Amino acid sequence: MNYIGSKYKLSNFIESTICSVVGKDLSDKIFCDIFAGTGIVGRVFKNEVKKVIANDVEYYSYVLNKNYIENHKPIPDKKTYIDELDNLPIKKGLIYKNYCFGSGSGRQYFSDENGKKIDTVRQQIELWKNNGEINNNLYYFLLASLIESADKVANTASVYSAFLKRIKRSAQKKLILKSAEYIINGNQHIVFKEDSNNLIKKIEGDILYLDPPYNARQYGANYHLLNTIALYDNFIPKGKTGLRDYNKSQYCSKSSVKGAFEELIKQANFKYIFLSYNNEGLMSVDDVKNIMRKYGKYDLISTNYQRFRADKEENRNHKASKTKEYLHVLEKK
Ligand SMILES: C[S@@+](CC[C@H](N)C(=O)[O-])C[C@H]1O[C@@H](n2cnc3c(N)ncnc32)[C@H](O)[C@@H]1O
């Protein structure tokens, strides 16, 4: 998934830095990805460590992580369920009603056909869950598969804060439900959906990886449609973009970020803490350094990173820009 702040392309840098500090053999370590987003960092460590704890305050992220991180045993017949969902007779529902043009909603986040397909698949998954046909493992696997597949055909520049006036080429393609494959392994992992600063008081482990938002863009607003697909609840969409009520993170505000960050570091019951942050964030490099070094042995590692900025209107106008990505390292006293 094309996600703001995704560490997909930086995962090798993160993995090698963490191993250079903690050691190559992580097989007895508990690793926590407390701002997990797409779950990509936890996925990288899932085979390396004893246990991954993944957490994010957003429900769509919880669903992705319940599948990619917590699911670790094979699910019999999962492909049969995907095929059945992919071939159901089409029904309308709340995505078509509120987010497609043909319903008269005035919004165009998906083509009419894809909006109805999302509704069809989403309703059937809930029906199976309610009548006991599927267990939680399969439920989150199917939901994650739907979220990923729907995101591929979304008619947006990149996030859901606005839709495009004309249906772009990738959004014209028919939604095909693709399996969200997860790593099979023998260990048990656990996923939470909590505010990081609450969860930190209840967990402990060896390696804490922090990847909070860097700027004022709230994830709940930018990915509201993924939450709506995942929750599939009744609410009144607001305004031109059909926004729902959303979480407001302390890490997205200049006035609260430093206080929240220091509290998180202070409360953390982990020996090693790694923070990803870039040089365009709400906290400066010095802000972070000054907070972290109060709590133990501090180090800073950086890499140049080419990132893509989404222009408002069109995907193809994405501009490349160079930023510096930092990994702040703390060995806690
Ligand atoms: C930079 S993104 C993480 C990206 C992730 N590492 C990846 O590669 O997909 C930051 C994440 O923090 C989450 N978040 C923001 N505030 C939070 C909070 N107070 N507690 C938990 N999660 C939070 C957002 O929902 C978002 O998914």
Side-chain angles (χ1 to χ4, degrees), residues 3 6-7 35-38 40 56-58 195-196 211 213 219 249:
Y3 195 61
S6 164
K7 294 299 171 291
F35 298 92
T38 60
I40 195 70
D56 198 284
V57 78
E58 298 299 334
D195 186 287
S196 53
D211 189 21
Y219 282 78
S249 172

Side-chain angles (χ1 to χ4, degrees), residues 106-288:
R107 304 183 188 108
Q108 193 166 219
Y109 281 100
F110 295 101
S111 70
D112 289 350
E113 190 189 4
N114 286 338
K116 289 183 218 168
K117 174 118 181 221
I118 294 168
D119 284 321
T120 306
V121 172
R122 184 64 189 88
Q123 289 172 33
Q124 186 62 45
I125 295 173
E126 209 58 27
L127 200 70
W128 280 336
K129 187 184 173 227
N130 290 340
N131 68 19
E133 161 119 19
I134 59 176
N135 64 15
N136 271 348
N137 300 343
L138 184 51
Y139 179 70
Y140 289 114
F141 164 76
L142 295 174
L143 268 191
S145 302
L146 176 60
I147 290 172
E148 296 271 20
S149 305
D151 186 64
K152 284 206 173 64
V153 295
N155 189 38
T156 61
S158 62
V159 294
Y160 296 84
S161 52
F163 52 85
L164 301 174
K165 288 197 190 88
R166 276 179 299 174
I167 300 254
K168 68 177 183 180
R169 200 173 294 167
S170 59
Q172 287 170 19
K173 289 192 182 143
K174 227 173 125 181
L175 188 161
I176 309 283
L177 194 64
K178 271 192 68 187
S179 296
E181 294 298 344
Y182 56 88
I183 296 166
I184 308 277
N185 78 8
N187 294 341
Q188 284 198 349
H189 311 280
I190 188 161
V191 178
F192 295 95
K193 183 199 154 302
E194 283 199 38
D195 186 287
S196 53
N197 288 43
N198 289 335
L199 181 66
I200 199 70
K201 298 176 196 155
K202 303 182 223 165
I203 56 172
E204 58 182 323
D206 304 289
I207 305 164
L208 177 64
Y209 173 67
L210 306 175
D211 189 21
Y214 296 2
N215 56 34
R217 297 170 89 183
Q218 294 282 359
Y219 282 78
N222 280 290
Y223 294 97
H224 66 100
L225 219 46
L226 299 186
N227 271 338
T228 295
I229 294 170
L231 290 161
Y232 213 67
D233 52 352
N234 274 318
F235 68 99
I236 299 169
K238 285 193 200 121
K240 203 174 161 191
T241 64
L243 200 59
R244 56 187 299 133
D245 288 342
Y246 61 91
N247 287 312
K248 294 191 180 69
S249 172
Q250 301 180 81
Y251 291 86
C252 294
S253 148
K254 182 99 186 150
S255 61
S256 51
V257 62
K258 280 197 258 173
F261 178 63
E262 175 150 11
E263 193 54 27
L264 188 66
I265 299 294
K266 192 172 161 188
Q267 296 287 347
N269 228 329
F270 286 78
K271 180 162 185 206
Y272 297 100
I273 303 180
F274 295 85
L275 167 78
S276 283
Y277 218 67
N278 71 16
N279 56 340
E280 297 169 353
L282 291 172
M283 294 189 285
S284 69
V285 177
D286 281 343
D287 288 338
V288 173

